[in-house]
Amino acid sequence: MTEVSDWRFRRYRYRLIGSRCRECGETSYPPRRRCSRCGGATEEYQLPRRGRVVHYTLLKALPTRYNHYRPYFLAVVELSDGTRVIGMLTDVDEPSEGMEVEATLRKLYTYGEDGKIIYGVKFRPVL
Amino acid sequence: MRPTREVGIYGYGAYIPRYIIENRDIADLWGRDATPIKSKSFPSYDEDTITIAYEAALRAIESSGADPSLIGAVFIGSESKPYAVKPSGTVVAEALGLGRNILSADYEFACKAGTEAMQTVFGLVSSGMIRMGLAIGADTAQGRPGDELEYTAAAGGAAYIISRVEDGVLARLEASYTYVSDTPDFWRRSLEEYPRHLYRFTGEPAYFHHIMSSVKGLFEEYGYSPSDFKYAVFHQPNYKFPTRVAKKLGFTMDQIKPGLVVALVGNTYSGSSLLGLAATLDVAEPGDKILLASFGSGAGSDSMVFEVTDLIEERRMRPPVSKLISRMIPGDYATYAMFRDILRR
Amino acid sequence: MGMPVIAGYGFTRVGEHWDRGLKDLSLEAIEKVFEGMSSVEIDAIYVGTALSGFYELQLSLASHIADLIARFDASVSNFEAGAASSAQAFYNAALGILSGMYKAVLVGGVEKMSDELPAPNYRGVSLVEDSFLVNYSGMTEIGLHALLAKMYLSEYGLEEPLYSYLPVNEHENASRAGHAQFRNRITYDMVRSASPVSDPLTIFDVTAPGDGAAYILLMDREYADSLGVEYVKLLGMGAAGQPANLFDRASPLFFSASSRAVEKALEKAGVETEDIGLLEMYNPSSISGVLVLESLGLADKGGAGKLLERGYFSLSGELPVNTFGGAKARGDPKGATAAYQLAEAAMQLLGRAGDNQVDGAEYALVHSMVGLDISAYAFVLGV
Ligand SMILES: [Zn+2]
């Protein structure tokens, strides 16, 4: 991970752009070049921003770059089109299964005091 | 100032972080008695001016149904830019999925950078250089621990999509005015973490003189009087200043009340008057006239007159500012200090 | 020429070897491999490591291991695939011997994890997962395992996380293993009440960082016969993969790569699942362990926990699993882990397992995987 490779991911990270299979319609996030189900070619696909929490966990074993604040929640989110993604939750003290969430843009980490600030999708309760 | 071709607000959105800290908690810590407001918002550890600007702009686009591909400019007014050098607008534009042929710059004029961004977009849209533009005021304002500003310096913002009137606006711009002078009431030197201010000098020669000159100038040039307006919104660094300036100018409490969010939210700096306008649009009816007067230290004031149209009903921000406020939860000083990086791990 | 044999093995104790580095650990393990053996010609040295490039700033390890033991005539190859690094090395070493090019390959792995701090370690062990899904997104290997545990409990309607009986069994087995990192006995209640790392998983549900080196001498059978060494036969091996993204899989709870790799290995060996006397599987968490067991058809879906609870997979049970404690208790020095598993299986088949000896095992199955079953390897060993 570098300040350059982070940049290459920005569109998918900022906007929940996934992929959809041209053959069978299977959707994925992050996007795939070839469908995992049928091997067909895929196209970029804008996933819906809203969904619900299916499962969640409070990560206490914090990895480098994500360890400057508190433990945070990670969740399996089922988006409104049925696509399941894994993401960080924010602005929530105690999530619940079924909780309605929406994708938003938040800071993920920085490359130190003088380095780049990296932003990406997180999910928070619907306003 | 009046644009050659008529422009107005196509859509608007606002955002306030989820956390508030009670003024009482800050005052108890520093052993003070009086508090200027009840509570103020503060950003979570993963929020900054860019994420707040994004949230406000996203809400403006989603609530109004504006076509993002028609947006030709993103100007963000802020005094708490995440980077000293590197535009905030490009991140926001990319995250919103706007096109690549957009004008973008960060504006800084203390608390008036947001209305400055609006003035610029009015001109660009009116001239035909762009079809629509986003003007955003957002801040995660800094107050040195123990300083007067710590009680009010808050986080939040609002975004306005400006278009020509013929594209359908929810509020038509009737006129705008500006008044500036070299008045150093508040500043932050380069590389300094916190701003400094000159206490009571921020009042009479700064806030009051500039807002009153701007509003009076507008009234004289275009023939308005306070009774023409259903609502008025003034920059709100605290509760006392906007209520007093309203009174001095001849406005009633009823006119300013819907837009007066400072008591709970605090001073969101570049977002302050824009947030007040958003809260006012939340309740305005077609035909209502609204006066907006910002103030930025250093110093200056922009004033604007809007007339609300029939489109307001379908374009109102969802959820309204009142909902953003009612969802807020109190955090203690330790949480505030951690999220604001006052406490560093 | 034919399927190769394991003619020797050696390993260090797994633990925090503060005063020893990659080379020190490797040297101890390699000297044990050749203990009591007359001079052996080594055609190749295959070394696996998951993290040495990140933690010790040392890459191209096989070159440096060759240098360490002054075997400059050997060809060297490096393997990097998390805890399957040395499984990959072993797989390819076997192919080298099968090709007829090599008569003997020194193959193994080494890892030095205690030099790093917790946060880089949580990131480090996640590096094998898709970087966008994990390191770029705030997710970690442990977080993924925790969410899998949630899915597992919910999918099968289980109230109790009985998968936590797996570390109980593993610590029990390690308590009699001299080379194990964690030799303390634990109970199910201790696992459940330990500090959570990512709920519902606790520190006892997941593996800990450890230092260790393990090496194996893989040989052409005729060469081994000519040297007169005792050996274990590699009868079959298999490998397979599946999407890294859990939701790109047919079912997140089915480890299809592991299942397919084992199927291939058994088929190649001509051995039925029922004939397997013991299993050395790789499970960096309790939940991943039960998912391996269920995916290999060794337990009903959602039912492995019950079998664990009643001792089905204990040393004296129907199918002993991770007989020296597995990654949880013997330790999980990533790049060396699979070489430990292979060496332990060989010890069992040669009757050298001491207090941990499984009686009458004719065949042993060794399973290894990269991350959450992105790639899997299986080996069938026999006497
Ligand atoms: Zn397909």
Side-chain angles (χ1 to χ4, degrees):
Chain A
M1 288 155 84
T2 67
E3 282 156 306
V4 175
S5 62
D6 265 305
W7 167 79
R8 277 196 295 278
F9 283 128
R10 70 198 180 286
R11 294 177 64 241
Y12 312 114
R13 253 189 182 171
Y14 290 174
R15 283 165 56 195
L16 269 184
I17 292 174
S19 62
R20 183 167 51 191
C21 176
R22 288 175 195 268
E23 307 297 325
C24 75
E26 177 84 351
T27 56
S28 290
Y29 181 82
R32 299 181 64 92
R33 302 291 175 92
R34 286 279 176 279
C35 176
S36 61
R37 192 200 280 172
C38 76
T42 63
E43 59 195 359
E44 275 197 1
Y45 167 64
Q46 177 64 59
L47 289 156
R49 290 182 49 250
R50 294 204 178 195
R52 62 182 182 89
V53 170
V54 184
H55 300 292
Y56 63 90
T57 181
L58 181 61
L59 187 74
K60 296 203 165 184
L62 303 178
T64 304
R65 288 188 179 153
Y66 296 89
N67 59 336
H68 296 291
Y69 298 94
R70 292 173 176 171
Y72 50 84
F73 290 102
L74 294 163
V76 174
V77 174
E78 184 171 293
L79 301 174
S80 58
D81 70 346
T83 308
R84 286 191 175 198
V85 302
I86 287 179
M88 285 171 81
L89 299 182
T90 191
D91 282 5
V92 60
D93 300 317
E94 189 47 61
S96 59
E97 285 168 16
M99 173 187 262
E100 301 271 337
V101 291
E102 63 185 320
T104 183
L105 187 77
R106 291 296 172 95
K107 286 197 284 186
L108 292 177
Y109 51 84
T110 69
Y111 283 85
E113 289 285 296
D114 62 351
K116 259 181 69 184
I117 303 164
I118 305 303
Y119 300 90
V121 163
K122 289 188 188 179
F123 292 91
R124 61 151 167 69
V126 169
L127 290 176
Chain B
M1 295 180 284
R2 258 182 185 150
T4 23
R5 267 185 286 193
E6 282 206 304
V7 301
I9 298 167
Y10 188 94
Y12 70 101
Y15 185 74
I16 312 166
R18 173 178 182 246
Y19 297 95
I20 46 171
I21 179 164
E22 302 282 332
N23 261 205
R24 198 61 259 161
D25 293 347
I26 302 172
D28 286 349
L29 184 70
W30 301 112
R32 295 225 186 165
D33 300 316
T35 58
I37 52 175
K38 189 176 176 305
S39 59
K40 69 162 189 173
S41 62
F42 64 94
S44 184
Y45 69 93
D46 58 0
E47 292 182 292
D48 63 14
T49 291
I50 285 178
T51 66
I52 290 170
Y54 164 85
E55 286 263 20
L58 180 72
R59 199 138 297 107
I61 291 170
E62 286 195 345
S63 301
S64 68
D67 178 354
S69 71
L70 298 181
I71 292 172
V74 180
F75 292 109
I76 301 176
S78 180
E79 62 130 66
S80 49
K81 301 183 297 170
Y83 290 88
V85 179
K86 183 184 176 305
S88 305
T90 50
V91 179
V92 172
E94 188 89 50
L96 292 171
L98 308 185
R100 292 276 164 89
N101 304 110
I102 55 164
L103 295 161
S104 184
D106 287 1
Y107 273 19
E108 190 281 305
F109 193 141
C111 296
K112 141 176 144 70
T115 53
E116 200 78 60
M118 287 177 81
Q119 300 274 35
T120 308
V121 179
F122 291 154
L124 287 165
V125 170
S126 174
S127 74
M129 279 182 71
I130 60 172
R131 181 83 175 269
M132 287 185 179
L134 256 171
I136 306 169
D139 257 307
T140 55
Q142 314 96 330
R144 184 185 299 279
D147 187 82
E148 281 79 358
L149 294 177
E150 193 180 26
Y151 296 87
T152 52
Y160 289 83
I161 300 169
I162 309 298
S163 77
R164 296 205 302 253
V165 165
E166 66 204 62
D167 280 332
V169 295
L170 59 82
R172 193 173 63 85
L173 175 75
E174 291 194 350
S176 81
Y177 197 82
T178 190
Y179 181 90
V180 301
S181 78
D182 177 9
T183 305
D185 59 315
F186 163 108
W187 62 88
R188 178 163 63 85
R189 287 279 298 277
S190 195
L191 304 182
E192 284 297 308
E193 207 167 337
Y194 297 107
R196 268 198 54 201
H197 58 92
L198 292 178
Y199 300 89
R200 290 183 58 76
F201 185 75
T202 59
E204 215 45 62
Y207 180 89
F208 291 98
H209 173 70
H210 289 83
I211 287 188
M212 293 189 60
S213 302
S214 172
V215 172
K216 280 178 177 168
L218 177 85
F219 282 10
E220 275 164 29
E221 186 153 342
Y222 299 107
Y224 291 106
S225 68
S227 59
D228 295 331
F229 297 94
K230 181 74 187 284
Y231 302 112
V233 179
F234 299 100
H235 173 56
Q236 12 193 311
N238 51 41
Y239 189 79
K240 201 170 13 174
F241 281 20
T243 47
R244 188 180 293 170
V245 86
K247 201 172 167 188
K248 283 184 164 199
L249 285 166
F251 288 87
T252 65
M253 261 319 274
D254 285 347
Q255 284 169 298
I256 63 168
K257 209 171 171 187
L260 203 55
V261 297
V262 64
L264 294 173
V265 175
N267 179 7
T268 55
Y269 284 50
S270 301
S272 173
S273 54
L274 269 50
L275 194 57
L277 178 61
T280 306
L281 288 170
D282 283 345
V283 298
E285 300 290 330
D288 290 349
K289 274 191 181 20
I290 302 171
L291 171 73
L292 171 71
S294 67
F295 170 72
S297 291
S301 170
D302 290 317
S303 46
M304 301 171 189
V305 177
F306 294 102
E307 186 184 51
V308 177
T309 75
D310 294 341
L311 286 171
I312 186 68
E313 304 295 355
E314 59 188 76
R315 301 261 182 88
R316 269 192 229 280
M317 178 177 73
R318 292 180 302 273
V321 174
S322 59
K323 177 73 198 304
L324 294 177
I325 293 172
S326 66
R327 94 190 196 292
M328 295 172 78
I329 58 159
D332 56 17
Y333 195 90
T335 306
Y336 166 76
M338 176 170 68
F339 286 1
R340 295 262 45 200
D341 268 348
I342 294 167
L343 246 184
R344 285 197 189 176
R345 183 168 171 165
Chain C
M1 192 169 66
M3 287 298 278
V5 299
I6 294 177
Y9 55 81
F11 45 75
T12 69
R13 185 180 59 78
V14 182
E16 294 173 317
H17 294 283
W18 299 115
D19 56 349
R20 295 200 291 164
L22 293 166
K23 287 184 180 177
D24 306 311
L25 295 169
S26 286
L27 191 62
E28 181 193 326
I30 292 169
E31 280 177 347
K32 284 181 183 164
V33 172
F34 291 107
E35 233 165 45
M37 241 182 257
S38 51
S39 74
V40 180
E41 280 172 48
I42 304 295
D43 300 305
I45 298 174
Y46 285 11
V47 180
T49 181
L51 298 159
S52 73
F54 301 95
Y55 292 7
E56 301 296 311
L57 301 184
Q58 180 65 71
L59 285 170
S60 199
L61 264 190
S63 307
H64 299 285
I65 299 302
D67 190 359
L68 175 76
I69 57 173
R71 296 274 189 164
F72 301 108
D73 221 27
S75 78
V76 293
S77 301
N78 304 292
F79 293 86
E80 164 274 305
S85 299
S86 46
Q88 270 188 4
F90 187 83
Y91 191 97
N92 284 281
L95 292 180
I97 287 173
L98 274 167
S99 76
M101 283 277 286
Y102 300 149
K103 280 185 181 168
V105 181
L106 178 66
V107 51
V110 58
E111 211 69 77
K112 187 70 198 141
M113 299 174 79
S114 65
D115 288 1
E116 258 305 355
L117 299 171
N121 238 324
Y122 290 129
R123 177 171 73 170
V125 301
S126 308
L127 292 173
V128 292
E129 297 291 343
D130 180 85
S131 59
F132 184 98
L133 279 168
V134 176
N135 288 298
Y136 281 81
S137 309
M139 176 51 77
T140 66
E141 189 71 36
I142 286 175
L144 284 173
H145 286 245
L147 288 173
L148 264 189
K150 293 266 184 153
M151 291 180 215
Y152 180 81
L153 295 171
S154 143
E155 175 73 19
Y156 301 122
L158 304 170
E159 298 279 312
E160 274 283 303
L162 295 181
Y163 51 72
S164 290
Y165 274 104
L166 184 51
V168 174
N169 183 47
E170 290 169 326
H171 275 244
E172 174 63 33
N173 294 351
S175 69
R176 292 182 296 272
H179 65 286
Q181 184 171 14
F182 300 109
R183 300 182 60 185
N184 56 320
R185 290 187 171 85
I186 57 172
T187 64
Y188 177 79
D189 289 340
M190 283 165 75
V191 179
R192 293 319 309 156
S193 59
S195 312
V197 284
S198 192
D199 61 296
L201 304 181
T202 73
I203 50 166
F204 282 130
D205 281 303
V206 298
T207 63
D211 306 333
Y215 287 84
I216 284 162
L217 185 58
L218 197 62
M219 264 189 195
D220 173 64
R221 190 167 155 187
E222 282 169 25
Y223 184 45
D225 282 333
S226 76
L227 293 175
V229 293
E230 231 188 328
Y231 55 72
V232 166
K233 295 176 202 155
L234 172 63
L235 301 172
M237 60 182 190
Q242 69 159 332
N245 188 338
L246 293 178
F247 304 116
D248 288 347
R249 300 177 176 185
S251 162
L253 298 177
F254 181 61
F255 284 2
S256 65
S258 292
S259 166
R260 185 71 189 116
V262 167
E263 209 171 74
K264 286 183 184 176
L266 290 172
E267 193 189 321
K268 170 73 184 148
V271 170
E272 301 290 323
T273 310
E274 301 78 57
D275 302 328
I276 296 297
L278 66 105
L279 167 66
E280 294 297 335
M281 65 172 176
Y282 178 63
N283 52 299
S285 67
S286 52
I287 178 64
S288 57
V290 305
L291 291 175
V292 170
L293 292 172
E294 293 175 13
S295 300
L296 300 189
L298 301 173
D300 292 339
K301 289 190 170 156
K306 278 224 167 66
L307 291 180
L308 279 160
E309 186 182 12
R310 71 165 173 87
Y312 184 93
F313 297 112
S314 67
L315 275 184
S316 55
E318 283 87 333
L319 177 62
V321 167
N322 294 350
T323 60
F324 290 89
K328 172 67 198 77
R330 171 242 295 125
D332 192 12
K334 298 292 178 183
T337 297
Y340 276 94
Q341 295 175 262
L342 287 157
E344 288 161 351
M347 286 163 73
Q348 288 288 2
L349 294 174
L350 291 168
R352 299 177 189 166
D355 292 343
N356 290 44
Q357 187 62 50
V358 172
D359 292 324
E362 209 178 331
Y363 303 106
L365 177 62
V366 177
H367 156 270
S368 177
M369 62 181 178
V370 178
L372 266 174
D373 198 50
I374 307 166
S375 312
Y377 297 85
F379 305 95
V380 176
L381 306 181
V383 277

